[in-house]
Amino acid sequence: MPELPEVETIKKGLSKRIVGLKIVDIEIKNDKSFLGDVKKVIHYEVISVERRAKLIRIKLSNDYNLLFHLKLTGQLIWRDAALLRSLSYEGPRSNSFSGGHPSYDWSTKLPNSNTRIIFTFDDDSKLFFNDLRKFGWCKIVAAQSIEPQFKEYGLDPFDKKFATNYLLGHAKRIPNRNIKQFLMDQAIAPGMGNIYTDESLFDAKISPLRKVKDISVSEWKTIISSMQKVLNLGLKYGGTTDSDYVNAEGGKGGMQDHLKVYHQTGKPCLGACGGVVKRITIGGRGTHFCKNCQK
DNA sequence: CTATCTGTTCTGAC
DNA sequence: TGTCAGAACAGATA
């Protein structure tokens, strides 16, 4: 599931590959995945690739943008022309039992049954928007409409102003909200999702059930530094591949091997407390934590 | 076979 | 206003 580190990893990968290329064709295989008129972006060049919250923005030379939200299962995979020729028909097929990880034949065979949009560039390379569950989208947004789109989001967790006072301000507004849902609120901590919220709270030794009004200033400081720590770790390992996430080259991330609580239900707690990782539901989301370590 | 669960965000009801 | 269920969708699991 793409959260800040996954989206940022894709952004970096795409930026390296497609800046300077001109879009020459867009093939829409699922109408609901694409909003806008393709005529507005065809024949224009990619100026930059940026991230805001969990959105990816491809800025074009004519003041239009392609904005993507990958939601749960969206992928953006770029292939150069040579690789497309060698892999387009009979990509190697892995079986479904490769070390407990899902099959990855979609990352070698492109397009595939999950491909919703195909962008072709002027060097014959292609960008594939794959999305198994079709929650994700790509839309064309004019330059002047970008900021209004981003207005709903709070400060990026790496912003210098993302500090105790900022979070206290939000906490005052919704004092009875639990810290888990608080951190998942995109108006407060955009880019945070289930994985990095659970990991951050474990690192901070704070229970996900704590109400925000009961969190002290020093605990807020700890939470902020834990968030930045685990997000940075996610960035370092190129994101978490739990099921569908791949980077811009179609490769897996490595953060899944460094998760301490997320999807570790029943395993011994790594806090050396002798407890086990529990799973409960908060706000409809699976929440993983250690009752001993997190107070 | 059906029922349940997953995980992000939006919508509509209370 | 905050809170919550349900929907969007497809597939893995029970």
Side-chain angles (χ1 to χ4, degrees), chain A residues 64-75:
Chain A
Y64 278 99
N65 300 267
L66 289 165
L67 203 57
F68 295 85
H69 198 307
L70 304 178
K71 293 289 180 91
L72 275 73
T73 58
Q75 306 172 327

Side-chain angles (χ1 to χ4, degrees), chain A residues 169-178 182 185 188 212-213:
Chain A
H170 278 295
K172 208 169 181 179
R173 186 170 56 85
I174 39 176
N176 290 312
R177 184 72 50 88
N178 61 68
F182 183 84
D185 188 336
I188 297 170
V212 293
K213 67 180 175 188

